[in-house]
Amino acid sequence: MFLSRHFNCVPLVEGIYCLEAKEQGGAMSNAGLIDMGDYTLIFDTFNTPQAGKDLRDAALYYFNKPIRYIVNSHWHGDHVRGNQFFSDEVIISSSRTRELMIKTQPDWLARMKKLLPNLEEDLTKLNTSLELKLNDSKQRELLSQIGYLQEIKESILTLEVTLPQLTYDRKMTIHGSARTVELLSVGTAHTECDSILFSPSDSLAFVGDIVAVDNHPLVVDGNPLSWLEALTYVERLDVNIIVPGHGPVTQKHYLQQIKRYINDIIHISESLIREDMNVNVNHIQIPEPYLGWNYGSIFYRNLEFLTKAASN
């Protein structure tokens, strides 16, 4: 078993692993290792270079063969900032994802370098908050934030924005001697352009952040209505195993849970708009099915985004 402070290695089927992010590491999201037969393919590269390095080491540990392709599911940093450890391989994304990486990632790094002196102060405040009596969910969220900032502090000075060299628009098929996989753009969902990896022979899909298990999914960079369409698209595939961008591996039925969540926040935001456009969304109770999910603050970010979007 490969050991990393950033992720746990979860075997799914012969030749495929999910690298499941640990709460306090630098991964922040899940990644995947796929043995294509004569080479290895990797899906997403985590949030920090140090997690990306462990990702590379894990791929070599498990399969001991050349790494040929790296896939970035979307532009968010927690899925692409390990790219620099794969600069000699071919990094693939949708065309729009590459454009959004160019637009966002260099600016993010420049801002973070300027904020580096403030990270110690933020870490001190968060550690002080841990001493308060908080519920388990809030404690986990604080620990995750602390781990995130510690990893960011470690990575800022070494991070090199590394872009995909190969792009596609709707579909790319990659053939190996052991299996064939399909990269499918599902369009606007969690972001302006999200991609999934589908392995038909394994009835398995890595779906990035269009699915989060026991975590509140973030809608502020995408569109909830087209997200629902993307989930329906995945449902129509011959897939049983679903590897989410966040949380443990699940099965196809969980797509309905994400659909329910999205529909619920749409209905709650519509009710708020009908009642009072100036209502404070922080006074809304998180619905019972989602009370135990991680990152409850995202629920309120989602409501605020949807109510403001409706007023514009």
Side-chain angles (χ1 to χ4, degrees):
M1 175 68 71
F2 183 88
L3 299 178
S4 171
R5 76 176 190 267
H6 306 292
F7 52 80
N8 294 313
C9 302
V10 181
L12 303 180
V13 297
E14 182 66 30
I16 300 182
Y17 285 83
C18 169
L19 304 188
E20 189 178 299
K22 292 182 177 178
E23 288 189 0
Q24 281 77 56
M28 287 292 293
S29 63
N30 298 334
L33 302 179
I34 301 176
D35 181 359
M36 297 294 290
D38 44 348
Y39 61 88
T40 298
L41 181 150
I42 292 174
F43 186 85
D44 281 339
T45 63
F46 297 137
N47 189 55
T48 61
Q50 54 268 29
K53 180 182 183 301
D54 276 13
L55 172 60
R56 184 182 189 89
D57 291 343
L60 296 173
Y61 174 87
Y62 282 112
F63 300 143
N64 191 30
K65 57 187 63 176
I67 302 167
R68 183 175 297 177
Y69 298 118
I70 314 299
V71 178
N72 290 155
S73 63
H74 61 287
W75 68 265
H76 284 170
D78 57 328
H79 296 259
V80 304
R81 293 192 186 120
N83 279 4
Q84 70 191 66
F85 277 95
F86 303 96
S87 57
D88 293 332
E89 286 74 39
V90 178
I91 303 175
I92 306 171
S93 76
S94 70
S95 301
R96 185 56 181 154
T97 289
R98 187 180 191 276
E99 292 170 358
L100 289 165
M101 288 173 66
I102 293 170
K103 180 180 178 181
T104 60
Q105 293 305 300
D107 288 346
W108 178 90
L109 181 56
R111 290 197 309 272
M112 292 305 294
K113 284 184 175 180
K114 291 179 182 178
L115 293 172
L116 193 58
N118 299 329
L119 282 178
E120 283 292 351
E121 182 180 347
D122 291 340
L123 282 166
T124 299
K125 290 179 180 177
L126 288 170
N127 279 302
T128 300
S129 297
L130 277 178
E131 299 173 5
L132 303 175
K133 292 183 178 180
L134 303 170
N135 61 46
D136 289 344
S137 177
K138 189 62 177 178
Q139 285 275 1
R140 289 196 302 270
E141 189 167 340
L142 282 174
L143 284 169
S144 182
Q145 289 173 344
I146 289 168
Y148 170 79
L149 290 180
Q150 288 173 334
E151 293 293 339
I152 289 297
K153 179 183 173 183
E154 181 179 341
S155 69
I156 286 172
L157 295 178
T158 60
L159 179 62
E160 299 173 5
V161 175
T162 305
L163 299 170
Q165 304 101 325
L166 180 64
T167 61
Y168 68 99
D169 289 324
R170 298 189 66 181
K171 177 179 179 179
M172 176 182 288
T173 303
I174 302 176
H175 301 280
S177 59
R179 54 174 46 90
T180 292
V181 301
E182 299 173 358
L183 306 184
L184 305 168
S185 170
V186 297
T188 300
H190 170 68
T191 68
E192 286 184 39
C193 191
D194 293 275
S195 291
I196 68 171
L197 182 149
F198 174 45
S199 178
S201 62
D202 301 296
S203 191
L204 176 151
F206 287 84
V207 298
D209 281 3
I210 69 168
V211 174
V213 176
D214 298 333
N215 288 264
H216 288 263
L218 184 70
V219 305
V220 303
D221 289 323
N223 183 297
L225 295 179
S226 52
W227 192 336
L228 292 170
E229 294 175 359
L231 291 167
T232 297
Y233 174 83
V234 177
E235 283 180 321
R236 291 172 179 161
L237 298 175
D238 181 16
V239 59
N240 292 320
I241 301 171
I242 298 288
V243 185
H246 298 271
V249 176
T250 189
Q251 294 182 316
K252 189 174 189 174
H253 64 80
Y254 199 84
L255 298 173
Q256 285 296 321
Q257 180 77 309
I258 297 299
K259 280 187 169 183
R260 280 193 292 271
Y261 179 92
I262 293 172
N263 278 314
D264 282 348
I265 60 171
I266 290 173
H267 294 153
I268 293 170
S269 65
E270 288 174 344
S271 296
L272 291 174
I273 293 165
R274 285 194 300 268
E275 294 170 7
D276 183 358
M277 286 297 296
N278 297 314
V279 69
N280 185 346
V281 299
N282 293 311
H283 293 160
I284 303 301
Q285 175 67 43
I286 296 176
E288 192 277 333
Y290 320 119
L291 274 175
W293 286 13
N294 296 324
Y295 306 106
S297 59
I298 290 178
F299 173 81
Y300 297 102
R301 287 184 63 188
N302 289 338
L303 287 187
E304 185 175 11
F305 168 76
L306 291 173
T307 54
K308 285 185 176 179
S311 65
N312 293 333

